[in-house]
Amino acid sequence: MNTRFDPPERGPLGPDVATVVTAPIVAPPSESAVSWGAIFAGAAAAAALSLILLILGVGLGLSSVSPWSFEGVSKETFGWSSILWLTFTALAASGLGGYLAGRLRTKWTQIHGDETYFRDTAHGFVSWAVATLLTAGLLTSAIGGVLGAGAKVAGATAGAAASTAGVAAAGAGSAAAAAPEGDLNYWVDSLFRSATNAGAADPSAPPPPAAPMDPNAAPPLAANAGPREAGVALPRPMPGRGPMGDRREVRAEVNRIIVNSLQGDGLDPADTQYLSQLIARETGMSPAEAQARVTDVQTRMRAALEKAKNTAKQAADDARKATAYAALWLFITLLIGAFFASLSATWGGRRRDL
């Protein structure tokens, strides 16, 4: 009987041990939280659409106003239309930019859904911010100059009356501060106008009948007889008919007196009396009439100046209100654009992850 026992062959590690070969563990690539390419793409699209809509708005606005009376829309209609168009431009451009920023961003696979929502919102907001800065840069360039010129034309058309009043007030203010000689010529001319002769004959009235001839009267003189042959005195020169240089000096002095009165509360009694004497000498009026003319011209001149100042203040106040309203509405429009860009980015990101 064979009692030999042959044990089974064993491997190098024993019969129950298997060799396991494992591959090295490779960490997943890190995913960036910000997709700058998508952000800049959305910002460029938003800026381009904003520029296109602004140019279209300028064209529509200029076609709706007119400098002629009873033509075109009113200032209120033009203002509200501009606000609505700016709001629509902000919504359209911000929505497009935010949607593209969310749709074109990198797909995140190892983050929670709330984190994805937050990142999409941040992408839309950053895209809106970049587009806003880019649009502001474009509006300050040559294209912005074209748009600004159109806005100035529209503003000038809508407020032509205020602009005219501002020019008149500026002229009155310069006259009161340091007016040159030509700014007050109208009032100086009013002072030195010749007095009208109340007893002047009406040219349309028939001539009076000729007086009967006196037989004892001297025969008529010849047509070429001079004043000495006629035996009459030479006429005295009319007042104010002196040399031209003297008259210019008088008018310049009167101009300076008027400017000085505008800077204060009115003419001093001494200046009033002196002007009355000058006017009486230059126009042949009586001293009482000359003083009455000085008082009347001074009253009308100060009333015109006060009216011009009030008109200028009203125009400045209207411009201040318009600027304040425009700034507030622009602020609200930008906030609406930021919100809509963030919301549109979440829509685009959700479509990207489907």
Side-chain angles (χ1 to χ4, degrees), residues 66-342:
S66 174
W68 306 106
S69 301
F70 307 106
E71 293 187 10
V73 298
S74 62
K75 293 186 293 185
E76 291 77 11
T77 304
F78 181 81
W80 285 109
S81 301
S82 301
I83 292 173
L84 293 178
W85 186 260
L86 287 177
T87 305
F88 169 74
T89 300
L91 290 176
S94 301
L96 176 62
Y99 183 84
L100 290 180
R103 188 66 183 270
L104 298 179
R105 52 104 174 146
T106 303
K107 185 176 182 179
W108 301 301
T109 57
Q110 299 178 358
I111 60 175
H112 194 269
D114 293 340
E115 180 66 18
T116 302
Y117 187 84
F118 173 78
R119 291 185 181 183
D120 287 336
T121 304
H123 274 66
F125 180 79
V126 175
S127 175
W128 166 85
V130 174
T132 301
L133 296 177
L134 186 60
T135 304
L138 289 176
L139 291 179
T140 54
S141 63
I143 299 178
V146 175
L147 297 179
K152 289 180 181 179
V153 171
T157 304
S163 300
T164 304
V167 172
S174 63
E181 185 178 354
D183 292 340
L184 298 175
N185 280 340
Y186 170 76
W187 302 108
V188 176
D189 293 339
S190 300
L191 289 174
F192 288 101
R193 286 174 183 169
S194 300
T196 57
N197 189 6
D202 188 1
S204 60
M213 295 294 294
D214 187 2
N216 298 325
L221 298 175
N224 57 355
R228 296 185 181 275
E229 291 79 358
V232 296
L234 293 175
R236 296 178 57 187
M238 292 293 296
R241 303 301 181 183
M244 186 60 65
D246 296 341
R247 298 188 64 191
R248 290 178 180 177
E249 292 177 1
V250 170
R251 294 175 68 89
E253 183 180 8
V254 173
N255 204 325
R256 291 191 295 268
I257 294 175
I258 293 177
V259 170
N260 183 69
S261 68
L262 293 178
Q263 294 176 352
D265 296 333
L267 284 172
D268 295 334
D271 291 337
T272 303
Q273 183 178 4
Y274 181 70
L275 286 179
S276 301
Q277 294 175 359
L278 285 179
I279 294 171
R281 186 190 69 186
E282 295 292 328
T283 61
M285 301 173 63
S286 64
E289 293 175 345
Q291 187 170 2
R293 174 175 290 187
V294 171
T295 304
D296 177 67
V297 170
Q298 177 73 5
T299 302
R300 291 190 294 111
M301 181 172 54
R302 297 195 70 87
L305 179 61
E306 190 66 24
K307 181 180 178 181
K309 286 182 179 180
N310 293 334
T311 306
K313 289 179 180 179
Q314 184 64 36
D317 188 65
D318 294 341
R320 177 191 61 83
K321 292 180 180 179
T323 304
Y325 292 156
L328 292 177
W329 277 108
L330 184 60
F331 170 75
I332 296 174
T333 302
L334 289 176
L335 286 185
I336 294 175
F339 173 78
F340 199 66
S342 302

